Amino acid sequence: TGPLSSECLGNLLRITLTAEYFEDKYLSLSVVDQSGIAWELNEAMASQCGYTVTYSKWSNIEFRASALSCHARLEKDVFTVTIQIKASHTPDMKNAATYLKSVSCHYGPWSPRELVCESNYMEVSVRREVPQTEKDFIQDEPEDWTLTFPEAKAGEASVWQIVFHQPEEKKALLVSDAWSAGYGLNTTDTRVLLRIPYTAAQIQLVKVQGITFSAVRSSTFYKQQWMILMVDTAVACPADGVDYANKTITWTLPKYIQLLSAGATSFKDVLLEAGVDLHKLSAKEMASRRYVLLNDLNAITMKIPIGAEGGYYKTSVSNGQHGAKYTINLFLEHQWEDNKWGLTKYTIIKEIETPFEQVELVITKNSDLSMRRMNVTVGTFLPDVELVNLTIEGAAVAVPEAVQHGYLTYEIRYANGSKAYGIQVLFDAPSIKKEYLRADMRAYTLNVTLAFIIYPTSETFTVPVITVSTVKDAVLPSARGFCDERNLYLVITHGNVDQHWLPFISDWHLTPEMAQKYNYSLRDNGTHLAISVPFLSSHVDYEDFHTSGIKASLHLTLKDGSTLANRRNFSVSCRFSSSELIQCLPNGTVVITVVKLVGIADLDTSLLVLRDRQCKPSLLTEKTATFRFSVNTCGTSRKFNSTTMTYENDVLYFRPGNDTPIYQLKFVCSYAIKQTVDVRYESKKNPPPSIKPGFGSLVLSLKLFKEKSYSEPYEESEYPVVKYLREALYFQVQLLQPQDERLELNLDDCWATNSQSQDSLPQWPILINGCENSEDSYRTVFHKVNYSLRVKFPQHLKRFEVRMFTFVQGTTLLQE
């Protein structure tokens, strides 16, 4: 059909711009006058000059022009309208394509009075030669007409004037003033025309049989020589009168409107016709569409079933919900005769739109397991809807770019003009959430929000799409464990479900920071997670103790990163030599580490003792206790034979109030009685040892510990530490460098201040010349430092305990 098509429809011309040629383009519409000048259309000019631009059938643009429009060329009963359309892909209208369309339409004969109610203006045209006499004025409404003469007489010769009759006042406007106010005026050899936009200031809203009308009562005057000619240019158009009950549009119109019939005393119906889109329908055509047209004594009623042929549904949005409205452009022409005007032709164009009705959208899912792909269809939509973007993981992505994210979108068109949108997404797309369910099952979740636009209103709405596909493709992680002489190892091979699972040991999340703190090893190269834990550590379980060694186990749990639900458990168990637990030193010192067995859950390692119950552990952890003592103490027994001397003792555990041990571990240290060692030496007279003062670089640290065991210091992130008065503070001073066993650390003076400056006042001595302050109410307590796996040089450490105090002056608390 081409980009432009035209129709002559009585006193109106319609030109349709086809959507397929002009959609997605910026348009400029102009009307070309008889001199070839193009006047660009806007809303104000259109309603003033008799033009209407609207949409029909979704995206087609419809241009309508009155036979008496501003720039129409009139020749007898033919009017010609020329329009110019520019279409461009950019808003600056560069490189615009220009279309010119000139259409001539025949219209006639004209009625003495013709009234047109368009969607954006009211129009009345009357014959110029209608005779008016003073007698006629009095017959009509003398209070209106007689009082208008002073305004008309005061005007210049040959100038039209309009007098508006309002309840409060009468207002006269010259043609130029009326034009500036937005009114349209025109005259031909035989007609006088007044066009009034619905936004005009002089419009009154009046009720006729309960129906609201937009109305203007006006007289138009023309002064020629000694004569004043006047025409009645009153006009009224219905503003409501539509009902939507019982799925039916009911449009009611009063048959005779007093404003349009002032002075008339007799009426006669001449013609009543109705139609759709300015096309008149016969009674047979109306019946086939189930339209009803009633012409009663006082009213005209038209009934249209919602959804009937002739109208169409268009998409709408209310509170973000998708729905539709039924739209129909009704056309009514009523002709009557009265004893004032003769024949009046009353034409009403009424675009009716039903209230919003929500329409549910259907989302269908079909997974193609062989292609590992999700297929989703969303619909059904009317043709005026278009998918514009997808929100993927919180980011809006335009439809053409969605394929880069793994989303293929396509349109599905149906025979009735409706459509749906399809989306294809691979299971392995980055935005697809993968979740392990059970056994070999995984859930793939698509969570995307589709954004749509409605043409031509540019309304938008969104449709969230969340679908889940369950697939048997889960590969669980597997593990192998082994040990060397001092460590337990677990190497976990990742599956395809544990990307967000977390390793836990004894309900502790094994992070890199935790591994470093406990001297563990934790490495993950993407395919394997390798963990090594020393045999003697806090998170190893000790299950039994035999002469063959001690059985130690490491248990690791993989937990879901979101819910912390247990997903997989792995463990490794090995037997370690008991020699790892005992050291028989050449100087007769025995160092033995005792482990807590899992079978004795309530064992308190601090209550472990040797045969002499005064001999207690020198180093404690939750699962181990270390004793350091001489073979000549702690109830150690001694045996001899020809080659060795053997020392024996027991580590015992007694429950409080019970003298029978529930735990007993016997250990033995053997020393050779006779041993020949060749030693090479030479005699040299050495000078007596002496100590001389000197200077050197020492590296010291001062730490505050949480407990008396001195096992865990406060980290830097935990400061400032909050303590209560008289609560114990455990300090440790350590010589870090140099690590020379010949050096011994001694503390001389130690004091507390009320600020971070060591020289600030007030001060309080904690140690004086290496001793506690005798004036303290709670004196400093020194704690012995013993050798352990963590303490190689006990002489390099000093530990002491101070009770929490604060500075006061009188009874006032001093604060920094």
Side-chain angles (χ1 to χ4, degrees):
T1 59
L4 302 172
S5 59
S6 62
E7 278 184 290
C8 296
L9 300 161
N11 59 352
L12 291 170
L13 161 69
R14 175 165 61 198
I15 297 176
T16 302
L17 285 65
T18 310
E20 63 182 283
Y21 287 92
F22 294 103
E23 64 182 355
D24 300 329
K25 292 185 178 69
Y26 295 90
L27 298 181
S28 170
L29 272 72
S30 301
V31 180
V32 181
D33 65 14
Q34 298 180 39
S35 302
I37 299 173
W39 300 84
E40 187 171 1
L41 270 183
N42 55 38
E43 289 185 10
M45 175 189 172
S47 59
Q48 186 177 35
C49 282
Y51 304 115
T52 302
V53 179
T54 185
Y55 288 90
S56 64
K57 289 288 183 181
W58 301 297
S59 295
N60 287 339
I61 299 174
E62 186 175 296
F63 168 84
R64 295 196 294 267
S66 167
L68 296 174
S69 57
C70 289
H71 304 295
R73 187 172 73 254
L74 294 168
E75 294 179 354
K76 295 184 180 180
D77 291 333
V78 176
F79 66 95
T80 302
V81 176
T82 303
I83 67 168
Q84 173 185 278
I85 300 140
K86 290 185 177 181
S88 174
H89 290 284
T90 57
D92 58 10
M93 302 304 290
K94 287 185 178 180
N95 302 317
T98 301
Y99 301 83
L100 201 64
K101 182 78 170 179
S102 184
V103 182
S104 297
C105 294
H106 178 272
Y107 178 64
W110 289 83
S111 299
R113 180 173 63 162
E114 295 198 0
L115 304 165
V116 176
C117 296
E118 250 287 12
S119 60
N120 59 330
Y121 64 85
M122 304 184 290
E123 181 179 282
V124 53
S125 71
V126 298
R127 285 179 183 165
R128 284 183 60 175
E129 62 268 23
V130 175
Q132 299 285 355
T133 67
E134 188 171 346
K135 179 182 177 181
D136 291 332
F137 304 153
I138 297 169
Q139 284 180 346
D140 295 345
E141 292 191 20
E143 74 279 3
D144 285 341
W145 311 130
T146 57
L147 292 175
T148 61
F149 281 108
E151 287 87 349
K153 290 177 181 176
E156 297 179 9
S158 303
V159 176
W160 284 92
Q161 287 195 14
I162 306 172
V163 177
F164 294 99
H165 307 275
Q166 294 180 301
E168 305 85 8
E169 61 178 351
K170 286 166 285 300
K171 184 175 183 180
L173 293 178
L174 296 176
V175 170
S176 58
D177 296 331
W179 187 265
S180 298
Y183 296 96
L185 298 101
N186 199 0
T187 179
T188 68
D189 293 340
T190 58
R191 311 289 295 180
V192 174
L193 171 128
L194 173 64
R195 188 176 298 110
I196 305 169
Y198 287 113
T199 55
Q202 275 67 40
I203 283 185
Q204 303 173 50
L205 295 179
V206 296
K207 289 278 188 179
V208 181
Q209 297 179 26
I211 307 300
T212 303
F213 279 77
S214 297
V216 170
R217 300 182 62 211
S218 63
S219 305
T220 302
F221 290 86
Y222 183 74
K223 183 178 179 183
Q224 184 174 2
Q225 295 180 357
W226 51 269
M227 290 188 299
I228 297 174
L229 302 180
M230 182 196 74
V231 289
D232 181 356
T233 47
V235 63
C237 291
D240 54 24
V242 181
D243 183 71
Y244 306 99
N246 302 319
K247 297 188 178 300
T248 301
I249 296 170
T250 302
W251 179 24
T252 303
L253 185 70
K255 200 166 188 179
Y256 301 110
I257 303 161
Q258 176 64 28
L259 181 70
L260 303 180
S261 305
T265 57
S266 63
F267 301 92
K268 176 185 176 182
D269 267 347
V270 174
L271 180 68
L272 178 63
E273 292 182 303
V276 175
D277 292 331
L278 299 179
H279 289 286
K280 297 177 182 178
L281 297 176
S282 66
K284 183 177 180 181
E285 289 173 319
M286 292 177 96
S288 68
R289 299 184 181 193
R290 296 187 297 143
Y291 294 3
V292 175
L293 179 62
L294 302 175
N295 187 3
D296 298 329
L297 181 63
N298 295 316
I300 299 169
T301 304
M302 194 169 185
K303 296 184 178 183
I304 309 291
I306 294 177
E309 180 186 352
Y312 65 99
Y313 283 97
K314 61 182 181 181
T315 308
S316 184
V317 177
S318 177
N319 297 323
Q321 297 297 314
H322 168 266
K325 296 178 180 179
Y326 175 74
T327 299
I328 188 166
N329 196 19
L330 296 179
F331 164 77
L332 185 71
E333 183 180 299
H334 182 208
Q335 297 185 31
W336 72 84
E337 287 183 348
D338 59 42
N339 60 349
K340 176 186 176 183
W341 285 101
L343 185 66
T344 294
K345 182 179 179 181
Y346 190 26
T347 302
I348 304 173
I349 299 168
K350 184 77 169 177
E351 183 174 343
I352 296 176
E353 183 178 272
T354 61
F356 173 86
E357 185 174 345
Q358 186 173 344
V359 176
E360 293 292 337
L361 296 171
V362 178
I363 301 174
T364 57
K365 178 198 72 175
N366 179 26
S367 296
D368 187 343
L369 299 182
S370 62
M371 299 293 292
R372 292 184 57 78
R373 182 175 65 197
M374 286 186 184
N375 299 318
V376 177
T377 304
V378 182
T380 303
F381 298 104
L382 294 171
D384 56 352
V385 170
E386 183 180 340
L387 176 64
V388 289
N389 66 51
L390 299 81
T391 300
I392 303 170
E393 294 184 309
V397 179
V399 170
E401 301 169 5
V403 69
Q404 300 173 17
H405 297 260
Y407 288 72
L408 175 64
T409 62
Y410 55 95
E411 194 174 84
I412 305 167
R413 290 192 175 270
Y414 302 113
N416 63 357
S418 63
K419 61 183 176 181
Y421 283 94
I423 307 172
Q424 291 183 348
V425 193
L426 294 177
F427 287 158
D428 298 320
S431 61
I432 299 296
K433 180 184 176 183
K434 305 166 187 68
E435 184 180 10
Y436 172 65
L437 297 178
R438 61 192 176 277
D440 57 352
M441 302 294 292
R442 275 202 298 179
Y444 293 84
T445 302
L446 166 67
N447 188 346
V448 63
T449 299
L450 309 181
F452 297 88
I453 189 169
I454 304 169
Y455 293 110
T457 61
S458 296
E459 289 182 286
T460 60
F461 65 95
T462 59
V463 179
V465 177
I466 302 176
T467 63
V468 180
S469 296
T470 304
V471 184
K472 290 185 176 182
D473 66 348
V475 178
L476 296 175
S478 58
R480 64 185 182 92
F482 58 92
C483 303
D484 59 16
E485 293 180 352
R486 304 189 64 85
N487 299 283
L488 298 96
Y489 297 88
L490 272 174
V491 179
I492 299 169
T493 302
H494 288 303
N496 60 9
V497 298
D498 58 319
Q499 293 85 351
H500 303 292
W501 292 2
L502 306 175
F504 278 75
I505 298 178
S506 301
D507 289 330
W508 284 82
H509 180 201
L510 186 56
T511 62
E513 294 76 17
M514 177 189 171
Q516 184 178 13
K517 176 181 177 180
Y518 289 100
N519 198 28
Y520 299 167
S521 174
L522 178 67
R523 300 186 307 277
D524 194 332
N525 64 3
T527 60
H528 294 80
L529 172 66
I531 301 167
S532 69
V533 175
F535 155 59
L536 289 175
S537 68
S538 300
H539 300 98
V540 172
D541 290 334
Y542 306 100
E543 299 180 5
D544 61 38
F545 207 148
H546 294 291
T547 54
S548 59
I550 182 169
K551 184 179 179 182
S553 298
L554 173 65
H555 300 280
L556 181 136
T557 301
L558 294 179
K559 295 190 177 187
D560 189 285
S562 300
T563 64
L564 295 184
N566 290 352
R567 291 303 190 186
R568 291 284 279 171
N569 295 306
F570 299 110
S571 64
V572 56
S573 298
C574 296
R575 193 168 292 278
F576 290 85
S577 170
S578 56
S579 62
E580 295 293 326
L581 303 178
I582 186 169
Q583 297 180 65
C584 301
L585 302 179
N587 64 354
T589 299
V590 178
V591 180
I592 181 169
T593 299
V594 182
V595 296
K596 177 181 177 179
L597 299 180
V598 293
I600 312 175
D602 61 346
L603 188 145
D604 183 352
T605 55
S606 66
L607 299 180
L608 288 166
V609 295
L610 299 178
R611 288 177 183 173
D612 182 349
R613 296 192 188 182
Q614 298 302 313
C615 294
K616 296 181 178 180
S618 59
L619 179 65
L620 291 171
T621 68
E622 183 183 351
K623 292 187 178 181
T624 65
T626 300
F627 295 85
R628 184 183 179 93
F629 60 97
S630 172
V631 292
N632 296 320
T633 61
C634 297
T636 306
S637 61
R638 182 173 57 185
K639 295 180 181 179
F640 295 91
N641 61 27
S642 58
T643 59
T644 59
M645 182 166 53
T646 303
Y647 294 90
E648 294 182 358
N649 205 329
D650 296 288
V651 178
L652 306 169
Y653 179 72
F654 299 90
R655 283 199 174 98
N658 195 328
D659 289 335
T660 303
I662 63 166
Y663 178 92
Q664 182 174 6
L665 175 65
K666 183 182 291 293
F667 61 88
V668 176
C669 277
S670 298
Y671 295 89
I673 294 176
K674 293 181 180 181
Q675 187 174 8
T676 302
V677 178
D678 293 330
V679 179
R680 181 176 181 182
Y681 72 98
E682 61 178 325
S683 175
K684 186 175 182 181
K685 192 172 183 179
N686 292 323
S690 63
I691 298 176
K692 296 181 180 180
F695 297 92
S697 177
L698 301 177
V699 180
L700 299 169
S701 74
L702 172 64
K703 291 184 178 180
L704 177 63
F705 281 76
K706 296 181 179 179
E707 296 176 347
K708 189 175 181 179
S709 63
Y710 286 88
S711 59
E712 185 178 0
Y714 284 100
E715 300 293 337
E716 185 175 345
S717 61
E718 296 180 85
Y719 285 93
V721 175
V722 178
K723 293 287 186 179
Y724 298 100
L725 286 174
R726 300 181 185 176
E727 191 174 352
L729 302 172
Y730 300 100
F731 290 98
Q732 173 182 284
V733 182
Q734 183 178 3
L735 173 63
L736 300 177
Q737 294 291 339
Q739 293 187 352
D740 189 338
E741 64 180 1
R742 296 174 298 173
L743 297 177
E744 181 174 350
L745 174 66
N746 288 293
L747 301 181
D748 191 12
D749 293 316
C750 181
W751 64 94
T753 67
N754 199 30
S755 72
Q756 294 185 4
S757 173
Q758 64 181 13
D759 299 323
S760 66
L761 295 175
Q763 297 182 355
W764 184 255
I766 294 172
L767 298 177
I768 302 174
N769 296 325
C771 299
E772 63 268 29
N773 184 359
S774 60
E775 296 181 9
D776 252 340
S777 301
Y778 298 92
R779 296 188 180 184
T780 302
V781 178
F782 289 95
H783 293 294
K784 185 179 179 182
V785 182
N786 296 310
Y787 175 86
S788 69
L789 295 176
R790 292 192 301 114
V791 181
K792 294 183 178 180
F793 305 112
Q795 65 272 29
H796 288 183
L797 281 82
K798 284 294 184 286
R799 293 172 175 168
F800 57 90
E801 174 185 335
V802 178
R803 294 289 173 172
M804 183 67 187
F805 65 91
T806 187
F807 289 94
V808 295
Q809 183 173 2
T811 59
T812 303
L813 179 68
L814 294 181
Q815 295 184 344
E816 183 183 357

